[in-house]
Amino acid sequence: MSRPRFLLVTYPAQGHVNPSLHFADKLAATGADVTILTTTTGYSCVSRATGHVTKYFEKPHNQNDSVSGVISFAPFSDGYDDGFKPENDVNHYLAEMRRCGSEAVRNAIVSGRNEGCPYCCLVYTILIPWAGLAAGEMGLPAVLLWIQPAMVFDIYYYYFHGYEDVIRESSKRQEIGETTMTFPGLSLEFSCKDLPSFMDAKDTYLFAIPLFREEFEILEKKVRPKVLVNTIYELEREAFEAVETQLNLIGIGPLIPTSFLDGKDVTSNNDDSSKEKYIEWLNSKPKTTVVYVSFGSMAILSEQQMEEMAKGLLEFGRPFLWVIRENVKDNNNNSKLSCREELDKLGMIVPLCSQMEVLSNESVGCFVTHCGWNSTLEGLTSGVPMIGFPQWSDQGTNAKLIEDAWGTGVRVKLNKDGIAGNEEIKRCLELVMGGKETVAGDSGKESWVEKRRNAKKWKDLAREAVKEGGSSDKNLKAFVSEMVEQSGNK
């Protein structure tokens, strides 16, 4: 019996490639072979994400001497092999990715059939609805892998099912006064800043909503379609149940390194020459005393915000590890910080780090994050309380969940200029880590103790979900079995 094969197509951005790789790793662990198809640019992201993804890579797909499957790659060129640049035409970029990607999908499906090893299913991430359409044209089942929380899926669902005008009008009125809204089956009240930024009437990323709309139109044509979601059922039970009569959301997360979740090995293979230095530095600090600050692979803070962040860290006075990427340009370069000398005395600034290793270090007591879903899940499953500093896309919703649904952190409040001042940053740090003068019985003490207690609860639940017999483990295995059965590859 040949192993089942899956074709996994991912949008070429680091935040999409990372969970796709970990999903492929999980599929391979069930005994399936996986071919990852993405652009040349997307493939270049692989090397930056494979520190914990691994033993299943690049073996011949017809090997039958192992229970585990293998992962291979099928990169294709869309004419933007050096990546999308700000001066490029986004519509042309997306059109070429669609054209070339659709052809690559069809060619992969044909090749698999000609080789006698056909794919049983295509799985594709958000923003590339053409992948599902191309599979459908070839008679191959296609399933969406939603790499954001189930709550964000629900909000998009309602946006495209009667709430678009309500949300758009609310975003227009937000400058007049704070308005909130609710959605069927969801108990949280949302303000405009809590919704995906693409829904804002003033949003400049005009390409996004049409792509999401197309995604949901594809789902609409199916009867209670399956959607794989990078989350945990126990974490978002309400969001799963809110749309369960229309869609079958399946929690298969968290899609982060298995080695991190099982605690067996949190050593990354990434080429990071500074790693030994910052890990040694972290190891020298007492438990839960270090503030970890990172804004992901895309967010760029303004010069003013960088200065306020620096001052807030200095005023709080605890050691910190701050990631400031080397590719941050112009006035945002860390060398421009006016208080760099004082910062170097208190903490450490690095151009990159293995986030998994940092968050798993006992010295880390707080994670200041942009609330990208990958980082949010990594913070949750490491049990580290968070300070949400959202920038765009789903990050505002994720920050809302961190503060109001899960109770594991707080969200910074911006002033009229859209800046979180140093006093606000210090305030949030004290709420999450406790102030220097906080004593037992103080409200601040109760606040950070409760957040740390909640963080541990969700950490334990996440790890239980991926263990054998856990909700995510059972869901993934059931999905694979169903796809294999439907394909006749028994």
Side-chain angles (χ1 to χ4, degrees):
M1 181 183 72
S2 61
R3 288 197 295 254
R5 290 185 82 189
F6 285 80
L7 184 59
L8 175 57
V9 189
T10 180
Y11 185 84
Q14 198 71 56
H16 296 239
V17 170
N18 288 15
S20 296
L21 286 169
H22 298 307
F23 178 65
D25 219 29
K26 289 179 179 293
L27 284 177
T30 70
D33 289 343
V34 187
T35 301
I36 300 177
L37 189 150
T38 188
T39 68
T40 303
T41 301
Y43 184 60
S44 69
C45 296
V46 170
S47 63
R48 296 193 290 273
T50 56
H52 296 273
V53 182
T54 66
K55 59 186 179 182
Y56 307 124
F57 280 169
E58 302 287 12
K59 298 177 184 176
H61 71 257
N62 59 357
Q63 256 188 313
N64 291 304
D65 58 352
S66 172
V67 174
S68 298
V70 294
I71 301 171
S72 58
F73 297 90
F76 66 90
S77 175
D78 60 356
Y80 289 83
D81 292 352
D82 293 328
F84 179 80
K85 303 294 192 299
E87 62 271 16
N88 294 148
D89 182 337
V90 67
N91 292 322
H92 183 266
Y93 168 71
L94 292 172
E96 285 301 287
M97 187 194 302
R98 176 184 289 260
R99 182 181 67 82
C100 299
S102 297
E103 182 180 1
V105 167
R106 290 190 290 266
N107 289 342
I109 294 171
V110 171
S111 294
R113 290 170 179 170
N114 290 341
E115 294 167 4
C117 298
Y119 294 100
C120 64
C121 178
L122 178 143
V123 179
Y124 62 103
T125 62
I126 60 177
L127 299 182
I128 50 172
W130 48 261
L133 293 173
E137 293 171 4
M138 302 295 291
L140 182 67
V143 177
L144 174 63
L145 172 60
W146 188 264
I147 58 171
Q148 296 176 346
M151 181 67 77
V152 172
F153 180 93
D154 286 5
I155 294 172
Y156 274 111
Y157 176 83
Y158 289 124
Y159 180 88
F160 296 122
H161 290 81
Y163 282 78
E164 180 173 358
D165 290 341
V166 174
I167 292 172
R168 288 283 180 175
E169 284 303 313
S170 179
S171 69
K172 290 178 182 177
R173 296 195 305 269
Q174 65 181 336
E175 293 181 0
I176 300 174
E178 189 71 18
T179 60
T180 60
M181 66 196 80
T182 58
F183 301 101
L186 303 178
S187 58
L188 289 177
E189 291 188 355
F190 297 88
S191 66
C192 292
K193 65 183 175 63
D194 302 326
L195 303 178
S197 65
F198 300 141
M199 296 178 183
D200 192 320
K202 300 186 297 296
D203 187 71
T204 57
Y205 295 94
L206 300 178
F207 69 89
I209 284 295
L211 291 174
F212 280 112
R213 189 185 303 277
E214 188 176 5
E215 296 277 16
F216 279 84
E217 287 174 348
I218 292 171
L219 296 175
E220 192 76 18
K221 295 175 182 178
K222 303 177 181 180
V223 178
R224 200 167 177 264
K226 294 180 180 62
V227 179
L228 302 173
V229 188
N230 180 18
T231 191
I232 307 144
Y233 178 78
E234 292 81 0
L235 186 68
E236 298 196 81
R237 184 186 303 269
E238 186 180 72
F240 279 90
E241 294 176 350
V243 295
E244 64 182 355
T245 59
Q246 297 86 16
L247 301 114
N248 181 14
L249 302 188
I250 303 170
I252 47 84
L255 296 178
I256 60 176
T258 302
S259 58
F260 177 73
L261 289 167
D262 62 23
K264 293 178 181 177
D265 177 18
V266 292
T267 302
S268 169
N269 294 321
N270 289 344
D271 182 15
D272 179 358
S273 58
S274 66
K275 182 173 63 176
E276 183 176 342
K277 185 177 180 181
Y278 69 73
I279 291 297
E280 182 179 350
W281 181 83
L282 286 173
N283 289 339
S284 71
K285 305 302 177 185
K287 291 182 179 181
T288 68
T289 60
V290 175
V291 179
Y292 171 54
V293 186
S294 178
F295 291 90
S297 60
M298 294 184 68
I300 298 177
L301 301 186
S302 67
E303 180 181 6
Q304 182 182 357
Q305 186 61 80
M306 293 281 283
E307 287 289 336
E308 293 297 329
M309 175 64 70
K311 291 176 184 176
L313 289 170
L314 289 174
E315 290 177 12
F316 185 55
R318 306 277 182 89
F320 64 86
L321 179 67
W322 187 1
V323 179
I324 303 180
R325 303 191 313 277
E326 288 180 329
N327 63 339
V328 172
K329 298 178 181 178
D330 303 323
N331 292 332
N332 295 332
N333 189 285
N334 66 77
S335 64
K336 301 284 186 178
L337 290 168
S338 62
C339 48
R340 181 60 195 263
E341 186 174 339
E342 293 92 332
L343 290 168
D344 287 339
K345 291 179 181 177
L346 180 62
M348 178 178 287
I349 294 175
V350 295
L352 78 167
C353 73
S354 172
Q355 185 156 286
M356 311 305 294
E357 291 180 73
V358 171
L359 288 171
S360 64
N361 194 288
E362 291 185 340
S363 67
V364 175
C366 171
F367 181 16
V368 182
T369 171
H370 64 307
C371 297
W373 187 233
N374 293 328
S375 290
T376 300
L377 279 178
E378 289 163 7
L380 279 169
T381 54
S382 64
V384 176
M386 290 174 272
I387 294 176
F389 212 123
Q391 306 294 305
W392 70 316
S393 188
D394 61 322
Q395 296 166 13
T397 311
N398 301 341
K400 172 77 170 177
L401 293 170
I402 288 169
E403 184 171 45
D404 293 341
W406 306 322
T408 58
V410 298
R411 176 179 181 163
V412 297
K413 296 178 181 177
L414 307 182
N415 61 26
K416 59 182 177 61
D417 298 319
I419 299 293
N422 62 83
E423 287 298 324
E424 169 62 10
I425 292 168
K426 180 184 177 185
R427 181 189 74 86
C428 290
L429 287 168
E430 290 178 341
L431 283 174
V432 171
M433 295 184 72
K436 287 184 176 179
E437 305 303 322
T438 301
V439 296
D442 288 353
S443 60
K445 176 77 170 180
E446 293 166 358
S447 174
W448 71 262
V449 167
E450 181 181 7
K451 287 174 176 57
R452 189 160 299 282
R453 186 184 302 118
N454 289 336
K456 179 163 190 315
K457 177 182 75 172
W458 294 120
K459 169 186 175 179
D460 293 342
L461 283 171
R463 292 173 185 242
E464 285 298 319
V466 297
K467 286 182 180 178
E468 186 169 357
S471 61
S472 292
D473 175 68
K474 289 193 295 186
N475 286 344
L476 180 66
K477 289 175 178 175
F479 166 72
V480 171
S481 295
E482 184 176 352
M483 292 300 101
V484 171
E485 184 176 355
Q486 287 183 8
S487 70
N489 185 14
K490 303 177 183 178

